[in-house]
Every structure is written in C-alpha cells, then in structure tokens.
Amino acid sequence: MNSKDYQAGVLSTESAPKSLEINQISLHAVLTMVIAASEVADLVKRRLYYGKPIPDAGLQAQLTAVSNMANFLIQGQEFDPAAINARMVPAALEELAALPEEIRGMDLDKVNIRLLHASLGMFTESGELLKAMLKQYETGTLDKTNFGEELGDADWYKMVAHDETGVSEEDSRTLNNRKLLDKAAGRYKSGAFTADQAVNRDLAAERTILASPADMNAPVK
C-alpha cells in the first residue's frame, strides 16, 4: 500500500480530542519517567551494538529519575486515580508554586495533542515489540504475526505525526539517509557503519543537514 492511501486510512481512524483531560503535573511526571526509561534503553543499545561502555553516572541518573517519578505518581497522588484524571483549573494552580522555576510555565494548552498521541503511541508500540523480544529471550519463540502487527501499529502513529508536521514519509526517509550517508557531513562518511562513527557523532553537522533540505530529491553526495 502506498503512503497516501495508508495515510487516508490512518486519519479516518484517528482519535483527536479537543483538550487533554489530565492533571498537568502528573503528565509532566509521566513524560519525565518514560523519557528516562528510554535513555536507559539507549545506553544498553549503544553498549550492545556500538561497544560503548555504559557510564555509571549516566545510568544512575536515569534510573533515579524513573524511580523518583514513579514514587511521585504513587505517593503524590495518594493512590487516587481522580487526582491524575482531573484537569487542573488555571485559576487554582497553587501546586505549581512548589515546582522548580523552569517548569512552572508548563501548560496543557501548549501541547500539540496529535503529536503527543503519536509520540506516546510509538513509545508504547516499542514496548510491545520489546515484550516479543523478552518472550523470545525467555522461550526461544518469536510470534512473527504479533511482531508484524506491532510494526504496523507503530507505522500508524508515525503517519499521524507526518500529517501533523507536514513532513512526508518520503521526505523523512530522504533526510535520514542524508544524515547517515552524506560524504561531507553525514555520520558514516565512508558509506558504511563503524562503531567509532556511531558513538562519536558530529551532531551540529547532522543538524545542518536536517535543517537545510534544499532539494529533497537530490541524491546523497
């Protein structure tokens, strides 16, 4: 199926509420927690596939963030789901005054609802894929039907993001290919993977490629 037809199907099955009905401090805690968990996974991925040692300080910081946010959600909300489900009323945000200054300006109305849906969805679908990997690790069995389904679900959420940002799937792939293979500024200037280049990235150069797509159809240099 081509991207245009697939996107039409995705958009016809998308849920797009007009507002986010959740306590904004709780949402901040959840996002902080899952981001930290993803950072832990990234450290492990880099160790397994790039040979980069896991830094003790980095691992400890992310695990502490996960633990702290989990404890806040359990203890801070006093096991009351209603405290999480209720949207904070702007006129009564006394709780914000006790937060670090840099996050007092958080506001549910600042969040792009569709992109948050896509981002959370891709995260949760990654979790489903990892469940399949855990089962294979434990039993030696991989349910390819289920794995393929979760890949499709991840594509569904990606298509929502493509539609909302206006960056097509084709353009996204082109930029990603350039970021990795551009001979002047790409990650793998030799045209193939090396562990050294995977770990020691020139993020500024890669950002230049991503921010200046002069011709999306131009071949990789």
Side-chain angles (χ1 to χ4, degrees):
M1 175 179 286
N2 63 54
S3 294
K4 184 177 181 180
D5 290 342
Y6 181 60
Q7 187 173 61
V10 167
L11 299 182
S12 71
T13 57
E14 179 190 358
S15 170
K18 295 185 181 299
S19 63
L20 297 173
E21 300 305 320
I22 188 171
N23 178 290
Q24 64 194 59
I25 296 178
S26 297
L27 179 61
H28 190 279
V30 168
L31 293 179
T32 300
M33 180 175 63
V34 298
I35 290 168
S38 75
E39 293 288 347
V40 172
D42 189 56
L43 290 173
V44 173
K45 178 201 71 179
R46 294 185 182 210
R47 175 68 184 92
L48 293 175
Y49 292 96
Y50 310 154
K52 183 177 181 179
I54 298 176
D56 291 340
L59 180 61
Q60 182 64 45
Q62 300 307 332
L63 290 176
T64 298
V66 172
S67 177
N68 287 346
M69 290 303 101
N71 287 333
F72 167 78
L73 288 168
I74 294 172
Q75 299 173 6
Q77 302 299 335
E78 298 179 350
F79 301 96
D80 181 5
I84 295 177
N85 289 327
R87 183 183 174 100
M88 293 180 70
V89 179
L93 300 182
E94 294 87 355
E95 293 177 68
L96 290 179
L99 296 175
E101 184 177 356
E102 61 270 20
I103 65 173
R104 290 177 194 168
M106 62 182 173
D107 187 335
L108 291 171
D109 293 330
K110 293 179 180 178
V111 180
N112 184 303
I113 292 176
R114 297 185 74 207
L115 291 184
L116 181 62
H117 187 198
S119 300
L120 286 172
M122 284 188 278
F123 183 91
T124 56
E125 295 309 326
S126 293
E128 293 295 332
L129 293 172
L130 288 170
K131 284 182 185 178
M133 290 292 91
L134 179 60
K135 183 175 180 179
Q136 185 186 46
Y137 184 37
E138 294 172 341
T139 69
T141 300
L142 176 65
D143 184 343
K144 290 186 178 180
T145 299
N146 173 255
F147 201 89
E149 177 192 2
E150 304 307 344
L151 288 175
D153 289 342
D155 283 341
W156 189 98
Y157 288 107
K158 286 176 61 179
M159 198 57 70
V160 171
H162 284 303
D163 181 70
E164 180 63 19
T165 60
V167 178
S168 71
E169 185 176 32
E170 292 76 13
D171 287 352
S172 183
R173 290 176 178 178
T174 297
L175 284 174
N176 182 257
N177 197 46
R178 284 188 185 176
K179 179 187 76 172
L180 296 178
L181 296 174
D182 186 278
K183 292 181 180 179
R187 185 174 303 170
Y188 303 113
K189 298 176 180 60
S190 63
F193 170 84
T194 70
D196 178 67
Q197 290 174 327
V199 172
N200 300 304
R201 305 172 183 179
D202 186 341
L203 298 180
E206 291 182 12
R207 175 71 183 182
T208 299
I209 294 173
L210 296 172
S212 305
D215 180 2
M216 298 298 295
N217 296 314
V220 175
K221 297 178 182 179

